[in-house]
Amino acid sequence: GAGVSQSPSNKVTEKGKDVELRCDPISGHTALYWYRQRLGQGLEFLIYFQGNSAPDKSGLPSDRFSAERTGESVSTLTIQRTQQEDSAVYLCASSLASNSEAFFGQGTRLTVV
Amino acid sequence: GENVEQHPSTLSVQEGDSAVIKCTYSDSASNYFPWYKQELGKRPQLIIDIRSNVGEKKDQRIAVTLNKTAKHFSLHITETQPEDSAVYFCAARGGSYIPTFGRGTSLIVHP
């Protein structure tokens, strides 16, 4: 079956613009994670959704970042008033349950110019 | 929260040699430790994982060991091949269900 799908693959935006990144998890997966990976760096946790529970937003770096997920389907990560330091690959992962293996999407490479 | 340290940041070996990557974690409640391989420009992919009720797990040339008392775990790759070249990430997950990742190890296998 299809894996985790993210769109767009690449996004170039001007500083100050808003961007929206999309993640389609594997069907049936209840848990969904967003991570940020700066060039040559590790995976920085952003936000975690589990079923219909309130999301864990503890990793969001500022109030310019927000994310939504409707039920156990698509999630969108929104960055408002983008800054150059937001340039990174944004990775989404999903897992069947909160204690299962996490599968990653291919990421969205965001470049803020 | 959880803190994961990973060493070394870069590891260069000759084909056929063994490679060892080490991680430490801070939260004693962590009970699941996956390892991911990320090839250049690609998504991280799980290569092996271990839960806190076992001390070692093997899968062909790859093995992972866990020392709960010392809060450290290691990835061992034997008979390395050029296609093993990639960035490897360790992670720890506990009660929050959020995997915390190390900073990664760039493994280079020279033919």
Side-chain angles (χ1 to χ4, degrees), chain A residues 8 14 21 41 44-45 47-48 51 61 66-68 78 82 86 91 94:
Chain A
E14 292 181 351
L21 313 180
Q41 301 297 311
E44 177 188 0
F45 166 71
I47 190 168
Y48 162 58
S66 63
E68 293 183 347
T78 301
T82 51
D86 298 334
L91 289 161
S94 72

Side-chain angles (χ1 to χ4, degrees), chain B:
Chain B
E2 177 65 276
N3 182 49
V4 176
E5 299 286 339
Q6 182 172 349
H7 300 281
S9 56
T10 305
L11 180 58
S12 183
V13 300
Q14 289 296 128
E15 182 176 0
D17 287 351
S18 294
V20 180
I21 302 170
K22 299 182 179 182
C23 290
T24 60
Y25 61 99
S26 61
D27 187 352
S28 57
S30 288
N31 55 19
Y32 175 65
F33 307 91
W35 286 87
Y36 285 82
K37 175 183 181 182
Q38 186 177 31
E39 296 176 354
L40 190 62
K42 297 193 176 180
R43 73 189 72 193
Q45 293 197 301
L46 183 78
I47 55 172
I48 195 167
D49 56 12
I50 191 168
R51 296 188 185 268
S52 58
N53 57 344
V54 298
E56 184 175 2
K57 183 176 178 181
K58 286 184 179 179
D59 183 2
Q60 299 183 337
R61 297 186 295 108
I62 294 173
V64 58
T65 58
L66 171 65
N67 183 326
K68 287 173 54 181
T69 303
K71 294 207 280 284
H72 67 69
F73 56 113
S74 301
L75 178 71
H76 304 252
I77 306 174
T78 59
E79 301 171 27
T80 53
Q81 301 167 3
E83 53 265 37
D84 294 331
S85 296
V87 178
Y88 291 80
F89 293 97
C90 64
R93 187 183 72 194
S96 71
Y97 298 113
I98 298 169
T100 299
F101 285 82
R103 294 177 65 84
T105 296
S106 178
L107 174 64
I108 303 164
V109 181
H110 299 280

